[in-house]
Amino acid sequence: MGDESYLSRIVDAGQAMGLSIDNLQAEAMQTYVGQLHKWNRTYNLTAIRQPGQMLVQHVFDSLSILPSLDKMLYKKTVSVMDIGAGAGLPGLILAIMRPSWQVTCVDAVEKKIAFIRQMAGVLALPNLHATHGRVESLESGNADLVISRAFAALADFAGLAGRHVRPQGWLVAMKGHQPSEEATALEQLTDWRIDHVQALHVPELDAQRCLVWMSRKG
């Protein structure tokens, strides 16, 4: 597949999700896929091997949350912490799309953090930061939004990462099916509750996706 096809697919996917993606942003995401494919041969950053699949299952999947985030995070300057970011998903994509947001990707695997730092330089993203460590070992943060993608069950996620959310901030989990069973454990074991669940549309992906928004009780 040629470069132009990647760019057009990215822009078309954005339009399908109600997102405006300019040429520089599309080029950055295309470069990201190329670099991820290259690094993955040596460092095994993701189980997905083909660039076309990376584009859909990683980039488009991460882009799909932006309309919901834009609606809930109406401030121009937003601080985001991506827990268990892996190869920078969704945090790196958010940093590309929203340059006024400060995005910190956290992962316990050093080679994944090295990749994110490399991409911050390659893509000239001064708003993208990478922290190597376990979330429970970090000093408490004050983020507007703490997000995870396939990181842990909701109660575990809230227990580990909730202290990094500012008092009126949000804890958000990217999930496949709606986590009805996890909601009970979340209520019983933590001081968090599900505020609402947003269904997501990921272009070119035939699978269920949703975004679980959690807020503190009371």
Side-chain angles (χ1 to χ4, degrees):
M1 183 178 294
D3 288 351
E4 188 61 37
S5 295
Y6 274 98
L7 294 176
S8 63
R9 282 176 70 185
I10 293 169
V11 172
D12 289 347
Q15 291 178 342
M17 292 181 278
L19 295 170
S20 177
I21 300 176
D22 64 32
N23 289 337
L24 288 177
Q25 290 168 332
E27 288 170 2
M29 286 182 271
Q30 176 174 268
T31 298
Y32 168 76
V33 170
Q35 289 292 306
L36 179 58
H37 183 241
K38 179 180 177 180
W39 276 58
N40 205 44
R41 295 170 185 162
T42 304
Y43 295 103
N44 194 31
L45 301 175
T46 172
I48 297 173
R49 302 298 179 191
Q50 299 303 316
Q53 291 179 311
M54 292 174 177
L55 185 69
V56 175
Q57 297 188 44
H58 288 334
V59 175
F60 293 176
D61 190 53
S62 295
L63 283 171
S64 72
I65 70 176
L66 255 179
S68 184
L69 266 58
D70 285 338
K71 181 179 178 181
M72 300 297 293
L73 303 171
Y74 49 84
K75 298 192 303 180
K76 179 176 176 58
T77 302
V78 171
S79 59
V80 177
M81 183 178 283
D82 177 6
I83 303 299
L89 301 159
L92 187 145
I93 303 302
L94 300 181
I96 291 172
M97 290 296 296
R98 297 294 178 263
S100 67
W101 294 9
Q102 294 297 317
V103 181
T104 300
C105 291
V106 178
D107 203 279
V109 180
E110 192 167 7
K111 64 185 179 182
K112 294 178 179 178
I113 291 300
F115 174 71
I116 296 169
R117 287 176 178 153
Q118 172 75 6
M119 293 310 302
V122 169
L123 301 177
L125 296 172
N127 63 325
L128 177 64
H129 316 281
T131 299
H132 175 230
R134 303 187 69 84
V135 60
E136 63 268 29
S137 301
L138 303 178
E139 290 187 18
S140 296
N142 192 41
D144 296 298
L145 175 84
V146 174
I147 193 166
S148 76
R149 180 176 183 257
F151 174 70
L154 294 181
D156 293 334
F157 177 41
L160 293 170
R163 63 191 179 86
H164 297 293
V165 184
R166 69 174 179 81
Q168 301 303 317
W170 296 97
L171 198 58
V172 181
M174 298 172 68
K175 291 283 188 178
H177 298 280
Q178 292 206 17
S180 303
E181 295 180 3
E182 293 181 32
T184 302
L186 178 72
E187 290 264 6
Q188 292 177 344
L189 301 175
T190 77
D191 61 349
W192 293 82
R193 63 177 180 83
I194 293 178
D195 184 88
H196 65 284
V197 179
Q198 177 76 44
L200 299 174
H201 165 61
V202 182
E204 301 186 35
L205 184 65
D206 184 20
Q208 284 190 302
R209 290 287 190 272
C210 68
L211 204 56
V212 183
W213 289 83
M214 291 166 279
S215 59
R216 288 184 175 89
K217 298 173 186 175

